[in-house]
Amino acid sequence: MIEYSIILQNSFGVLMLIILKQLVILYIFIILGWVLGKVNPKQVDHTGILSFLLVNLLLPCKVFTTFAKNFTVSYITQSYKTILVSTALLLFIVIISKLCAHSITKNEYERKVYRYSLTLSNYAYMGYALCESLFGESGLTDLILFCIPFAFYTYTFGYAMLTGKGSIAKKLINPLTISIFLGIAVGLSGLKLPDMVTTVLSNSSACVAPISMLLTGLTLSAFPLKSLVTDIKAYILVAIRLLGLPLLVFGLCKILSLDSVIMPATLMACMPCGLNSIVF
């Protein structure tokens, strides 16, 4: 596990520049998607194809590749407490999110969307790309491991919350969870995959951030710009999501001396609302 505190102390200015550069790149793709959607609105109807590829191929490839390379016995001995801390944090955020959602709106469907958006951030499509650019594959492994409970929540209770359909138990078996366990198995076994397979996985993994951001822009282009910037409840949601929760998570980690997970926990918490509210 990376000593994040040492990295931050030694190169804080450089770190901020890298973060800013990566965020600008991601938002350029969002803007490009929005522009393309405005130029040809009919194409927005086909965004389901991008969603399908992200959920069933590209993101699973990234998760599998990361675990296959970095999940070793020595890594487990250093990080075995991470899942317990993450699960406890998830339960805490679920409670906070429910209270906040009920205070923002009385509409039941909006409450479900707000609860989902506050509980689950864009830790995967945006967070993985940002984390890898800052801390490399080792840091990305830490973040993916920390977010495993959130991944299971996403595809069970989260999916049911947004869609109102589907068996929660059946949703436990999905491409993402399968890729997690397959990646763990390959990492622990030390199995070396053929070069052709690793190339396919690597190329697929590289597509996650650009395509997910383009999908976000395309989806936003279907809404009048005025409606996106004049809803006061959206600003309240964003303030809680991007300021309140990250500060709360960071503070808890500091108070409880959870230095080993402070970076993946805070990075997960400070990401924008989860893209799956669009994908699902």
Side-chain angles (χ1 to χ4, degrees):
M1 181 168 283
I2 296 176
E3 292 292 338
Y4 297 103
S5 59
I6 296 176
I7 294 175
L8 291 175
Q9 290 170 6
N10 292 342
S11 55
F12 183 79
V14 175
L15 187 65
M16 291 301 101
L17 288 175
I18 296 174
I19 292 175
L20 180 60
K21 179 181 178 181
Q22 187 63 36
L23 287 175
V24 170
I25 292 172
L26 293 174
Y27 279 102
I28 285 175
F29 279 108
I30 293 178
I31 294 171
L32 287 174
W34 185 83
V35 171
L36 291 172
K38 288 297 185 182
V39 171
N40 192 345
K42 292 183 179 179
Q43 297 303 317
V44 178
D45 297 335
H46 303 296
T47 54
I49 298 174
L50 295 180
S51 299
F52 178 82
L53 290 174
L54 279 171
V55 171
N56 295 287
L57 175 64
L58 303 180
L59 186 59
C61 283
K62 191 172 192 68
V63 171
F64 172 83
T65 301
T66 303
F67 272 143
K69 288 183 179 180
N70 300 284
F71 202 90
T72 61
V73 174
S74 61
Y75 180 78
I76 294 177
T77 59
Q78 298 175 33
S79 313
Y80 68 94
K81 294 181 181 179
T82 298
I83 295 295
L84 295 177
V85 174
S86 177
T87 302
L89 181 61
L90 171 62
L91 295 176
F92 177 75
I93 291 179
V94 166
I95 295 172
I96 295 296
S97 299
K98 185 173 183 178
L99 294 175
C100 290
H102 277 251
S103 65
I104 295 174
T105 180
K106 294 182 179 180
N107 182 283
E108 189 58 34
Y109 179 72
E110 286 184 355
R111 282 179 174 177
K112 290 180 180 179
V113 175
Y114 289 170
R115 281 176 57 193
Y116 183 95
S117 298
L118 291 173
T119 303
L120 297 164
S121 68
N122 196 340
Y123 64 82
Y125 301 113
M126 181 178 283
Y128 290 171
L130 184 60
C131 183
E132 189 172 18
S133 68
L134 297 176
F135 305 112
E137 283 193 346
S138 297
L140 179 58
T141 305
D142 290 347
L143 180 61
I144 294 177
L145 180 67
F146 185 86
C147 290
I148 285 178
F150 289 84
F152 280 104
Y153 186 90
T154 297
Y155 284 89
T156 54
F157 294 102
Y159 181 85
M161 193 185 306
L162 287 177
T163 64
K165 63 181 181 180
S167 168
I168 290 177
K170 288 181 180 180
K171 292 299 175 183
L172 283 171
I173 307 300
N174 59 73
L176 182 61
T177 56
I178 292 172
S179 68
I180 289 173
F181 290 113
L182 285 178
I184 289 174
V186 172
L188 290 176
S189 67
L191 179 67
K192 183 174 175 57
L193 300 174
D195 291 341
M196 189 178 298
V197 173
T198 57
T199 299
V200 171
L201 291 170
S202 177
N203 289 344
S204 298
S205 300
C207 295
V208 171
I211 290 182
S212 60
M213 296 302 100
L214 286 170
L215 174 61
T216 301
L218 282 167
T219 303
L220 291 176
S221 71
F223 297 90
L225 185 60
K226 183 179 179 180
S227 69
L228 297 176
V229 298
T230 57
D231 187 351
I232 187 63
K233 290 182 289 186
Y235 288 97
I236 296 173
L237 179 72
V238 168
I240 298 172
R241 170 75 270 167
L242 297 182
L243 293 175
L245 284 177
L247 290 173
L248 184 60
V249 170
F250 181 82
L252 284 174
C253 289
K254 276 293 188 181
I255 292 172
L256 299 175
S257 299
L258 299 173
D259 294 338
S260 61
V261 300
I262 191 169
M263 186 53 66
T266 305
L267 187 60
M268 177 278 299
C270 71
M271 287 294 104
C273 300
L275 186 62
N276 278 333
S277 56
I278 294 174
V279 173
F280 287 156

